[in-house]
Structure formats: structure tokens, C-alpha cells
Amino acid sequence: MTRTAWAPMRWMSGAALVSVFVATEHAQAQQGTIAGTIVSAETSQPLADARVLVVGSARITTSSPRGTFEISLPAGAYRLRVYLIGYAPAEEQVTVPPGGTAAVAFRLTPSPTQVEELVVIGSRTTRSTIETPVPVDVITSAEIKEVGQTEINQILATVAPAFNASHQTIADGTDHINPASLRGLGPDQVLVLVNGKRRHPSALVHVNGTFGRGTVGVDLNAIPTSAIERIEVLRDGAAAQYGSDAISGVINIVLKDDVEQIDYTSSVGVTGEGDGEQVKAEANYGFRIGGRGFLNVSAEYLTRERTDRANPWTGDIFPGITGTAATDAELAARGLTRRDFTMQVGQSAAEIGMAAFNTVVPIGDVAEFYSFGGASFRNGSATGFYRLPNQTARVVPQIYPNGFLPEIATGIVDQSFYAGVRGNTNGWDIDFSLGHGFNAFQFNIENSNNASLGASSPITFDAGRLVFNQSTGNLDVVRPIDTGGALRSLAFVTGAEFRTEAYRIEPGEAASWQLGNGGSRPGIDFDTTASGAPKEPGSQVFPGFQPSNAVNRSRNSIGVYGGFESELSDKLLIDIGGRFEDYSDFGNTVNGKIAARYEVARDVSLRGAVSTGFRAPSLQQAWFNNVSIQFLINPSTGALDPSRVLTSNNQSRVTKAFGVPDLKEETSVNLSAGLTARPTPELTFTADVYRVEIDDRIVLSSRFANSDTIVARLLQPFQREGVTAAQFFTNAVDTKTTGLDIVASYTRQVGSGLLTLTGAANFTKTEVQRVNIPAAVADTFANGDLEAVRGRLFDREERNRLETALPRTKGSFSARYAAGRLAILGRATYYGSIEYRPTDPALDETFGAKTLIDLDLSYELFTGLRLNVGGANIFNTFPDEQTKPANISDGRFVYSRRVTQFGMNGGYYYARLRVTI
């Protein structure tokens, strides 16, 4: 990081700390205190962990085990609101005297059906879930513990219909990091926060043939589930509030603040096919620091084995031997079967260790220091296509006489650390923080060879590493404004963010990418096939990053926002705000948002929002470059043939020769409108429609093959490496996404227990409105005929990934009943049909809708010890099988690897033991 780049952050740091501490000292004489108690109206017993909110501000505190709380505030009149699950909310008006103490007592009425939660996402003033002008879902830690899945992406995909994520297969690095989607949009169009602070993305950019191709997402599975108090999912555009990426919405992960409790969980599970075994151990513990402080720490270990859903290979195997009968005879003679040459198509294996912490330390009466962060270390293993012995250009027979199944063994390191100071002084709520995130993705290739090296080839390779760093500085300010009773509440919010990002590609060892021995012997310096052509260079399955691919790039950005958040009356709430951001590599952007909620009748409200947004091109999209092996359908034979594809970075001479311009930001317009209702205390209902238009969406282009003479000429410098096609990142597409979200919840007392029914559904449709062809590209390939080159830049398979690769309809219905020591949860999740639309329309396939059933049974064996047993997809349901022989590819792909509803693992059955002390 350069001295210049950090200068604004140092200025922000000094200004913020001075404003907090100096102003705090100055304001002590003007401060007063609210001292409160919270008890049950039924038993008069004190209530712990109740959330006390100062309406119209960012100030919130929690009651102690004795049911007490204190808040230091400037002298004046305030409204306090108290929330506690299982009790009806309560509100009191309090006047704080200068230098004195105001006492307030809350008596909460028990209401077992009350599940209302406070959220910090979507506004700078804290509100409950039904008070927000835009839809926010809350997934609690209790819900997380009753989901059969072990990782956050898969948990969210189970409980949030607007969210989709599945493990991918035969997709290089994407086998290890799930591309996820909110409301059908891309992995990089949802912003992820932790405790309200921006989370760093992965170093990996998805470049293979899966949903999310060309995008960079956040690795949610690097966060331990044991550290999570709740997950807030904002389903609306929020770039005007939070900056880049928040086009489809925001996911905020709130870490635990539990104290004086040890929580340990151990679980085991296996799929319905007898593979994919998982073992997980997790622990959480917290202790108090002073009267109001705490430190909460978590640790997890997870081992996840592979799943395999491929059928035995049905094609030819050995050189010079063709036909099923002759091949089977040769197999018998060698004591082998076709199963010995089968790929492993399914979930990758992984061994993961994670830790996280969350702490708050009071600083006097009006401020506190906070910090949180964590680390994740993951070793993964996934396979590629089997290299058969008759593929002589790719196999060294002296090493692998029967071919080999190459593996990509990854080492992924993810780390983050945030620290800040927040407090209130002279009527201002101030929050200043600094944070850093780091992600590294190491490619190790095993059980492979560099065929061009012949018998001297290694069988394991260091193929290089991707590294991403992000540092942020944030200053957030909220000022409640006294309107003398003219408005119920009014707050001015403002702040700034400074962010630096850095991206590196580190080359692999020479043997992982070179052709032959690099000229170490005279004459021919590489191994050849029978025809005299050179065998393929580099490690098979994933050629290493070359010195020419090495990148070390950085950028910085600064953003400033401001706005007003107001309850104009008991019925009307309005938020309005704007944001300016400037990036060192592409320029600046201005965005705004207005959101409102109006109570048209008691417990019935209308809400809506209009906003503009943006997403900056990631450094990974701008600078990633390599040569990869991708298996593409041969239009002449229908077979999957390996092709060496060049991904050329946005600033390279090759990219500019193709006519691709500099990347710029995506821009969006978001419209949403909804209804919220609580007809009875037990029933809540919300319905929201939305429309998201995105212009200049960044995509990875279709592949330009060297069968075109112009492409062959432009790729001439890469002929020695065997490159046969090229692809680029470009702002090529305008899309429109429309949809509807419906959520309903009903809770009531049944007998001695509590019954909770929840239904939710998401209906979404994304359409590619336009494919924008740069004039220079058209001039290069079609003499200016834009229509002629449109399908080459973004073909129907690329369009398929945006429009129909994920379910357009997804819904769930769950029923939970808890009585005494027993709890039962059943869930049905409906996945709508999806489509595969490759470049050849004759290979189109549609995969029908499916409904998966989950079941979780738990019983408290004795105090502090609970056993869960259950299954995710208990009937072992799979997607429809492929029917087109070319898609099945000689038995390798029973299920599609290009489009996915819920993966191909089938059922997963588990047992979990939780100990709480």
C-alpha cells in the first residue's frame, strides 16, 4: 500500500477519533442517563437479553441478566422501544435531565407468538423487520441449527427462497467456491456485510461453464456457522447506502455476543448414495468484559468427502482399439473394468478449519471499542476429465499406461480483521472503523503430467496462486433531530468510506506451464505424438499461471453518502439518501434512493422504494488472464473436445486488437413495491414486487475460435502453447429482472407447545434486453455489421446462464412444533424447472420441477444436552437426468453440470449432538 493511498484513511482516522473523544469530554456536562428495568408483566421476573432501542437513532442496548440497562444520552426527550422474542413490544417516552438520571420501567406482556426482530441493515437507524420500507428476512441461529446443511451457502439456499447456491462440479476453482445468487442475479451483484461492515470477495473469478461465469463472489462458507447470531437478508437495491455490488440486495451476518455459556456441537452425516460423508465439530464461548463488554469466540472443523454421480465410461479407451467389443476384450485382458476409467462428477472434498471472534469493550459511559474477525483454512480436492490412454497428446504412457484422473488440490486461506470506536456525543452517534480482508487461492495439481515433458514429467505441480486484499475505513454519523413534536422522529445520516484493493496472480512452477524442457537440449525439446506434433504443454486439467500472467494491481476508491430517515407520523415513514463514489481506475458515480412505508390501516402497510445503483468492475475481471483447458462441444462430432482457451485481461494488446474497450461500471435502476400485514397477533404476511434493470453488465464473452482466420492471426503469439480460442471480459449486456416475493408466518399455542408455520416463495425472471457490440469488435470481425457478430460475442449458452440456468420459481413451506424437550421441524422446498440452452439448439434440455422434503427431530436428553437427527431431502430426490447423448458424453454426465436447481448429491442424513453449559 502506498503512502499516498493511505493518506485519506489516516486523515479520517484522526478526525474520527478526535471527534469521538474530544467531543465526548466536552459534552459530559450535557449528558444524562436513562436507567431502566425490564420485567415480565405476568411474573414480575427480570428479563435478560431484551433489546432497547432509542427510536430514530442508531443507539441500542441489551438488558442484563438482572433485567437492567443504562443509556447515556444528551439531555432531552426520547422514545424508547423494547423488543424481546416471546413478548409484545413496549414503548415509553422519557425525558433526560442535564447531568441527571431518568428512571423507566418496562413490564412486557408474554406473547409466545411474538417473533419480531430488530435489524441494522437497510438504514442507519435501527428498526424491526416489519417497520422497514424494504423487505428484510432474518434467519436466526436457532433456525440455522435446525437445517441439515453444514455450510452457510447451503443453509441460506434452504431457508431463503430468493437465494440460490449449489456445489458445482468439473469447473476448476469453482468446485471449491459456490457461485450464489439473490433474486436470480449474479454472485457479484449482492453485497455481503459482517456486523454491518463490507466483507471482502474471493480472489477467484469463475471462468468455467457454470452459472456465475465471469463473476467474483464472496466466499460465505469461510465464515463459521457457530459464530453467527443471525443473518439479515435485504431484498432490495442498496448501492446508494452501501456502495458497489448492492444491486440485488445485501446480506448482513451478525456475529454472536453471547456470554457465560459454552456451546459445543458435533455432527455426522452421509448422502443417500453412501458417499459424501461429513464430520463437523464446532464450539462457541463468550465472557464478560466489565459491566457492558464481552468477548465471544468460535472455532469449527469440517471434513467433507466427495460425491460421485457419473456412470461408467462407455466409449473407446486404448490407442488403436475401437468399438465396444474390442475395448471390453482388452479391459478383460488387463484385469480392468470400465468403472476404472470413470470420472468423479459431484461435490468436491474439503477439510476446513475456521475461527472467529467478536468483542466490545466500553470506553467510559458514551463510547465503546469493538472488534471482530476470523480466519479460515481450507484444503480442497476435485477432479477433472479422465485422461484416457488413447489421448496420446495428453498422456505419458511410461507414467500412466492406463491414463489418469487428474486432481485440483486447492489451498484457500481467508482472513479478516475489523476494529472501531462508536459512541454518542452532544446528540451525534458516531461510528469509525478500519478493516482488512485477505483471500488467497492456491492451485496444486496432483495425479497429472506435463505430456510435452515425456517420461521426465513430474506428477504433482504448483500451478500458482491468486491473492486479493481489501482494506476499508468507514465513518458513519447519525444525528437525531428534535422537531418539537412536528415529526415522530427525524434523523440526519452521513458518512464516508475509503477503500483500497489489491489483486495478484503469482506464477506456478515452470513444469506446470512450459512446453517441453524449455530448450535444454538441441533439436526438438518437447515430446511428440506419432504425427510429430508436440504433446500438450503444462499440467493436465489446469495449466499453471505463467510469468507472463503475473499481475500485481491495486486501486482505491472513496465514497460519501448522506440522507434523512424519518417517521413523519405514526403512519408514514420515509428514507431518502444519496451517495457519491470515485474510483481511481474508472471514474465516479452518483446514486440515490427514496423508500417509504405507509400504514393504510391498523397493522396493514404499503411500502416501496426507487433507487439507482452500480457495481464497479472487480480487479479480478479487469486483470485476470491465463490459458485454461476447457472441454467444449465439437460442432462436427458432438463430442466434448479439450480446447486451450486464452483469457486475455482487459488492458492487454490482444484484447485491444479484438476491439474490446476498457471496462466501466454496471448501472442499475431498482423499483419495488409491497404490502405488509399482521391481521392477527399470530399471523404476518408480506408481498413485494420488484424490477431491476442493469445496463452494461460485465460478462465473460463467448469463445472466439481460431477456425476464424482473423482470430488465428490475433492468437499467433500463443500458437506454441496450443491456444485455440480466446475470451474477454466486456460490458456487453443489458438485462431486466422482474419478480415477486411472498412471505407468511403463523405462530400459535397448540396444547403445551408452540406451532410455527412459515411459507415463502420467490418468482423471478431475468431477460437479456440487449447485447451491446463495441463498434471496434464489429469492425474487426464483421465489417461493421453489429448483428452478424452479436451471437459470437454472447451466444445462446451465455444468455442461458443469465436467464434460465436457475429456477425461476422457488418456494418453501415449513412447520415446527416444540413442546417441552421435543421439537419437530418439517420443510418442503419447491424448485421450478430449469433449462439448458447450448450453442447447438438440437441439444436443448429442460429439467422439470422438484420438491425436496427435509425433516429434523430434536430431543433434550437432559438439561444442556440436545440430540438432533434428520435428513435434508429425505426421499433422496435427484434432478431429471439428461437425455441427449452428446450432453451425457459417454456416461460421464448423468445430470447437467452446466445448470443446476439444487445440486446432484441427493439426500443427506445426519445426527447432531449439542452441549450447552
Side-chain angles (χ1 to χ4, degrees), residues 553-801:
R553 295 286 176 171
S554 63
R555 72 175 175 196
N556 58 64
S557 65
I558 190 165
V560 179
Y561 72 90
F564 292 91
E565 298 179 1
S566 174
E567 295 180 50
L568 300 183
S569 67
D570 290 345
K571 295 183 179 294
L572 180 61
L573 178 154
I574 294 180
D575 291 350
I576 185 169
R579 188 181 187 96
F580 168 84
E581 288 214 21
D582 183 78
Y583 285 75
S584 61
D585 57 348
F586 75 83
N588 56 61
T589 178
V590 177
N591 294 278
K593 181 173 184 175
I594 182 168
R597 178 180 176 272
Y598 181 70
E599 187 174 10
V600 295
R602 181 177 176 83
D603 294 321
V604 178
S605 299
L606 298 177
R607 63 186 180 188
V610 179
S611 66
T612 61
F614 79 103
R615 190 188 71 80
S618 68
L619 285 176
Q620 295 91 319
Q621 290 174 320
W623 294 105
F624 179 80
N625 69 110
N626 80 333
V627 174
S628 62
I629 300 174
Q630 300 182 26
F631 280 72
L632 311 176
I633 293 179
N634 186 317
S636 301
T637 65
L640 282 173
D641 292 339
S643 178
R644 286 187 173 261
V645 179
L646 169 70
T647 302
S648 182
N649 76 52
N650 188 244
Q651 295 299 314
S652 77
R653 287 179 293 178
V654 175
T655 302
K656 298 311 175 188
F658 271 78
V660 178
D662 292 352
L663 291 179
K664 59 183 179 180
E665 76 276 18
E666 302 174 351
T667 60
S668 68
V669 176
N670 294 58
L671 305 174
S672 67
L675 168 74
T676 70
R678 178 172 279 174
T680 70
E682 298 85 9
L683 176 64
T684 60
F685 173 84
T686 67
D688 295 272
V689 295
Y690 57 91
R691 174 180 174 137
V692 184
E693 294 188 355
I694 305 175
D695 289 343
D696 299 317
R697 191 163 171 174
I698 299 172
V699 297
L700 187 55
S701 73
S702 304
R703 302 152 185 100
F704 287 75
N706 65 359
S707 55
D708 183 301
T709 55
I710 297 175
V711 176
R713 174 175 55 81
L714 294 175
L715 296 182
Q716 182 66 30
F718 303 92
Q719 182 178 14
R720 182 179 171 89
E721 299 173 37
V723 170
T724 58
Q727 58 188 14
F728 317 93
F729 289 93
T730 179
N731 295 88
V733 177
D734 298 344
T735 64
K736 179 179 72 174
T737 299
T738 54
L740 167 66
D741 289 326
I742 299 174
V743 180
S745 178
Y746 179 76
T747 305
R748 68 167 298 168
Q749 199 86 28
V750 176
S752 62
L754 192 67
L755 174 67
T756 302
L757 305 177
T758 304
N762 170 253
F763 306 87
T764 192
K765 180 181 180 181
T766 295
E767 300 173 284
V768 175
Q769 301 287 94
R770 286 170 294 279
V771 179
N772 307 310
I773 307 300
V777 174
D779 291 342
T780 300
F781 292 99
N783 297 319
D785 184 349
L786 298 180
E787 197 60 40
V789 77
R790 200 175 303 276
R792 295 192 62 186
L793 182 68
F794 196 75
D795 63 30
R796 71 192 304 267
E797 184 169 358
E798 300 302 334
R799 181 187 292 260
N800 173 220
R801 291 191 179 99

Side-chain angles (χ1 to χ4, degrees), residues 369-394:
F369 167 83
Y370 64 90
S371 182
F372 60 91
S376 169
F377 303 91
R378 182 186 315 166
N379 293 323
S381 180
T383 58
F385 280 78
Y386 199 105
R387 269 53 175 180
L388 297 164
N390 61 5
Q391 297 173 313
T392 56
R394 294 183 285 280

Side-chain angles (χ1 to χ4, degrees), residues 480-567:
I481 299 174
D482 186 356
T483 63
L487 302 178
R488 195 161 187 253
S489 70
L490 176 65
F492 170 65
V493 300
T494 187
E497 177 180 89
F498 181 78
R499 186 164 78 250
T500 65
E501 299 171 331
Y503 176 62
R504 296 201 313 271
I505 298 178
E506 299 175 356
E509 61 177 303
S512 73
W513 52 264
Q514 69 184 9
L515 173 65
N517 63 7
S520 62
R521 70 175 189 260
I524 296 175
D525 62 353
F526 48 78
D527 204 11
T528 62
T529 63
S531 66
K535 288 191 173 184
E536 291 199 8
S539 47
Q540 282 294 309
V541 77
F542 188 90
F545 295 108
Q546 304 180 27
S548 60
N549 300 135
V551 161
N552 189 0
R553 295 286 176 171
S554 63
R555 72 175 175 196
N556 58 64
S557 65
I558 190 165
V560 179
Y561 72 90
F564 292 91
E565 298 179 1
S566 174
E567 295 180 50

Side-chain angles (χ1 to χ4, degrees), residues 470-484:
Q470 174 182 286
S471 297
T472 57
N474 289 89
L475 177 63
D476 301 303
V477 179
V478 179
R479 169 75 186 203
I481 299 174
D482 186 356
T483 63

Side-chain angles (χ1 to χ4, degrees), residues 138-436:
V138 176
I139 297 100
T140 65
S141 59
E143 291 176 272
I144 290 172
K145 291 183 183 299
E146 291 184 332
V147 176
Q149 306 293 342
T150 57
E151 297 170 291
I152 293 179
N153 263 329
Q154 283 63 49
I155 291 170
L156 280 174
T158 300
V159 299
F163 186 90
N164 281 279
S166 299
H167 287 294
Q168 306 296 314
T169 185
I170 317 298
D172 294 344
T174 304
D175 285 24
H176 306 277
I177 295 182
N178 303 155
S181 171
L182 184 64
R183 282 184 163 178
L185 293 173
D188 52 6
Q189 289 160 336
V190 56
L191 175 64
V192 176
L193 309 175
V194 176
N195 282 355
K197 307 300 179 182
R198 178 181 288 266
R199 173 85 176 177
H200 60 280
S202 165
L204 177 76
V205 57
H206 303 292
V207 296
N208 218 304
T210 66
F211 165 76
R213 183 173 182 265
T215 66
V216 179
V218 172
D219 185 5
L220 287 172
N221 289 343
I223 302 172
T225 57
S226 58
I228 298 174
E229 175 63 29
R230 66 183 184 274
I231 302 175
E232 303 171 349
V233 182
L234 168 66
R235 294 179 274 113
D236 193 66
Q241 297 159 289
Y242 298 106
S244 179
D245 307 345
I247 289 179
S248 66
V250 182
I251 296 174
N252 182 39
I253 296 174
V254 180
L255 302 181
K256 287 182 177 178
D257 57 6
D258 296 346
V259 295
E260 299 174 353
Q261 177 176 290
I262 298 174
D263 195 344
Y264 173 80
T265 303
S266 180
S267 61
V268 295
V270 66
T271 72
E273 302 302 296
D275 58 6
E277 301 90 343
Q278 297 190 44
V279 177
K280 184 178 182 181
E282 50 188 304
N284 176 266
Y285 176 68
F287 56 88
R288 294 192 181 278
I289 300 177
R292 294 185 290 119
F294 68 89
L295 171 62
N296 184 277
V297 294
S298 300
E300 279 187 19
Y301 172 80
L302 170 66
T303 177
R304 186 189 71 215
E305 299 299 329
R306 292 174 177 158
T307 59
D308 183 11
R309 301 295 175 261
N311 277 341
W313 171 253
T314 61
D316 294 339
I317 297 175
F318 303 105
I321 299 174
T322 59
T324 302
T327 299
D328 287 346
E330 181 65 20
L331 285 169
R334 298 190 184 200
L336 301 171
T337 69
R338 288 187 174 274
R339 177 59 69 179
D340 295 316
F341 298 87
T342 300
M343 291 172 56
Q344 292 185 354
V345 179
Q347 169 185 282
S348 64
E351 185 177 24
I352 311 167
M354 293 180 280
F357 76 96
N358 186 31
T359 187
V360 168
V361 179
I363 304 174
D365 293 329
V366 295
E368 61 187 19
F369 167 83
Y370 64 90
S371 182
F372 60 91
S376 169
F377 303 91
R378 182 186 315 166
N379 293 323
S381 180
T383 58
F385 280 78
Y386 199 105
R387 269 53 175 180
L388 297 164
N390 61 5
Q391 297 173 313
T392 56
R394 294 183 285 280
V395 177
V396 178
Q398 299 94 320
I399 302 175
Y400 299 109
N402 293 316
F404 60 94
L405 183 62
E407 298 184 6
I408 298 178
T410 56
I412 305 172
V413 178
D414 193 282
Q415 300 171 344
S416 64
F417 179 82
Y418 295 82
V421 175
R422 59 186 171 223
N424 56 80
T425 176
N426 207 26
W428 294 85
D429 297 334
I430 300 174
D431 184 343
F432 171 75
S433 65
L434 293 172
H436 181 75

